[in-house]
């Protein structure tokens, strides 16, 4: 399956956040972004909040609730190898996953496509 994240307009250097619907359990196989930037997908709102101040050059800690953390220097695709596990850490479990994107490219509309396999 795939899920699309769309931000109508985002200035260079600005950050957008939101939620995206993904399976309760699955595998993230690919992230495609239409501009340079840093995208982070989280397993819970608590994980997104705790991770908000992490610097772009700092790897997320294991078990921190970060599902995927690709940073692309230009528009393109990040194939997940190995695939990243999608699993909600909310209680009760949900199919809404928080995300954050920092635009490191030109200002404008942002389109992010997440490709996944449901388990």
């Amino acid at each position: 399956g795939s899920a699309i994240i769309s931000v109508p307009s985002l200035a260079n250097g600005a950050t957008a956040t939101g939620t995206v619907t993904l399976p309760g359990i699955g595998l993230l196989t690919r992230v495609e972004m239409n501009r340079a930037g840093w995208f982070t997908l989280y397993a819970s709102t608590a994980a997104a909040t705790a991770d908000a101040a992490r610097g772009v050059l700092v790897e997320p800690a294991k078990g921190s609730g970060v599902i995927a953390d690709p940073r692309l220097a230009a528009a393109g695709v990040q194939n997940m190898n190995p695939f990243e596990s999608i699993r909600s850490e909310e209680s009760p479990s949900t199919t809404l996953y928080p995300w954050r994107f920092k635009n490191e490219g030109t200002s404008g509309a942002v389109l992010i496509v997440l490709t996944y396999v449901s388990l």
Side-chain angles (χ1 to χ4, degrees), residues 39 87 114:
F39 175 75
R87 183 178 50 84
L114 307 177

Side-chain angles (χ1 to χ4, degrees), residues 33-38 71-76 101-106:
M33 300 188 290
N34 74 331
R35 62 186 68 252
W38 179 27
R71 183 178 183 211
L72 298 181
F101 178 76
K102 181 178 181 191
N103 185 3
E104 296 178 339
T106 56

Side-chain angles (χ1 to χ4, degrees), residues 55-82:
V56 69
L57 299 177
V58 178
E59 291 283 325
K62 293 236 185 262
S64 66
V66 173
I67 293 172
D69 196 45
R71 183 178 183 211
L72 298 181
V77 173
Q78 172 73 52
N79 289 309
M80 301 293 129
N81 187 16

